[in-house]
């Protein structure tokens, strides 16, 4: 099965790296400007080294990670509400979400990273000793090593702990602060260690850094593309230039985007367009899964409609649940998930928006869609009683 796009880049680079070849030729190549992707590359190298050059193995591993994710989702839901029916519904809704499910045949780092992120959240919800938080920090760092969005989870966790554990429980404030500090230090020290290890092995002289942080703003603040990536954006750049020259041009384009938004008073319209794209547009997961190339025309569009319909229904229930929660008292840990979701939305309003990026946060959306289902069922039960 052919690997294309970023997947082909990872696959071909993995095979080259195992032969001792450089993973980039110039300082503006993929793994030079986005050095943080070396984390997932390292994982692929280990799999190929010990299990062979079979893409099927990586696909089966993705399915294994998905199973673990469903188990963790069950445990997190049970930790929040102690209702088995909620746990079962949560797992069912997650399992039928095709936009989340369909990428398991690709070289995707989203499943393995999500598994570690959810494991970290579950440990935090257990709220035991400092050792538990130490392990949670390790899991979050490993997840970020594989897919660098751990900072979003970290931001939500820090805000939650400060508000609900330190300020709200002043008697245990010192202990809770030490617990949070242990978690943060573990996270950053481990990531620093990972980066130094990558440098020391000679795999990537830039470690796990992001040397092209402006690119997300080049796309995210582009009004014409609604903050999404479009090929016409590449036409503004000479992709053969060095990283320094490219960075200067990216800074210029970013300033042009900001000036255009300021001059035409389009900030609010841009955010609304990006918000609509993020939540109401179909995810591009099926395209990344190459369903369009591997399936017939009719089959592909039927899959697209089915995937979008399932996701839309779950989103509607999530919105109903969100409105119903205004008048309900939630367990404190439930607000941890809300804060993580807020951090994700805030980041997406500024940087490049892409439907596939919401996959890591689908478990949180599914949990809150349960409230919508519960609200609708309660309405029907009341009507039946009245009749």
């Amino acid at each position: 099965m052919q690997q294309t796009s970023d997947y082909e880049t990872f696959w071909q680079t993995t095979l080259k790296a195992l032969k001792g070849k450089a993973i980039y030729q110039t300082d503006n190549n993929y793994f030079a400007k986005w050095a943080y992707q070396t984390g997932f590359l390292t994982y692929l190298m280990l799999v190929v080294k010990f299990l062979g050059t079979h893409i099927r193995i990586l696909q089966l591993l993705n399915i294994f990670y998905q199973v673990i994710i469903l188990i963790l989702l069950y445990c997190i839901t049970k930790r929040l509400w102690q209702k088995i029916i909620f746990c079962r519904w949560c797992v069912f809704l997650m399992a039928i979400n095709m936009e989340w499910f369909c990428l398991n045949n690709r070289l995707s780092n989203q499943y393995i990273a999500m598994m570690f992120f959810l494991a970290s959240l579950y440990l935090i919800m257990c709220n035991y000793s400092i050792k538990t938080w130490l392990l949670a920090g390790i899991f979050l760092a490993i997840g970020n090593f594989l897919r660098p969005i751990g900072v979003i989870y970290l931001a939500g966790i820090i805000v939650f702990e400060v508000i609900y554990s330190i300020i709200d429980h002043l008697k245990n404030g010192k202990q809770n602060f030490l617990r949070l500090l242990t978690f943060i230090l573990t996270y950053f020290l481990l990531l620093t260690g990972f980066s130094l290890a990558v440098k020391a092995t000679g795999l990537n002289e830039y470690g796990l850094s992001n040397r092209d942080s402006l690119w997300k703003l080049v796309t995210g603040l582009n009004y014409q593309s609604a903050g999404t990536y479009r090929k016409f954006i590449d036409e503004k750049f000479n992709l053969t230039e060095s990283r320094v020259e490219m960075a200067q041009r990216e800074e210029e384009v970013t300033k042009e985007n900001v000036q255009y938004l300021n001059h035409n008073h389009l900030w609010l319209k841009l955010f609304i367009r990006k918000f609509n794209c993020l939540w109401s547009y179909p995810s591009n997961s099926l395209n990344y899964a190459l369903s369009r190339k591997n399936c017939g025309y009719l089959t592909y569009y039927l899959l697209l409609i089915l995937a979008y319909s399932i996701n839309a229904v779950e989103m509607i229930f999530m919105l109903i649940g969100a409105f119903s929660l205004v008048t309900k008292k939630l367990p404190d840990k439930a607000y941890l998930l809300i804060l993580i979701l807020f951090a994700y939305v805030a980041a997406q309003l500024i940087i490049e928006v892409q439907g596939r990026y919401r996959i890591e946060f689908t478990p949180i959306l599914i949990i809150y869609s349960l409230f919508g289902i519960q609200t609708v069922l309660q309405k029907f039960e009341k009507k039946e009683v009245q009749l």
Side-chain angles (χ1 to χ4, degrees), residues 59 63 87 89-90 108 127 139 154 170 173 203 208 259 272 276 292 296 304 313 347 376 379 382:
Q59 294 170 334
I63 294 173
C87 302
W89 266 105
C90 211
S108 174
N127 210 19
F139 282 159
L154 181 67
L170 289 176
L203 184 61
L208 298 174
Q259 289 173 358
I272 291 173
N276 289 338
R292 195 167 193 169
L304 196 65
V313 170
V376 172
K379 293 292 183 182
K382 288 179 180 179

Side-chain angles (χ1 to χ4, degrees), residues 84-120:
I84 300 300
I85 187 65
F86 266 31
C87 302
R88 293 172 178 171
W89 266 105
C90 211
V91 171
F92 173 74
L93 292 173
M94 188 73 175
I96 65 171
N97 188 299
M98 291 179 62
E99 294 183 347
W100 171 78
F101 178 82
C102 69
L103 282 175
N104 55 27
N105 66 338
R106 300 297 93 195
L107 300 182
S108 174
N109 56 355
Q110 293 184 269
Y111 296 125
I112 184 171
M114 190 192 309
M115 179 181 69
F116 283 106
F117 291 147
L118 291 181
S120 179

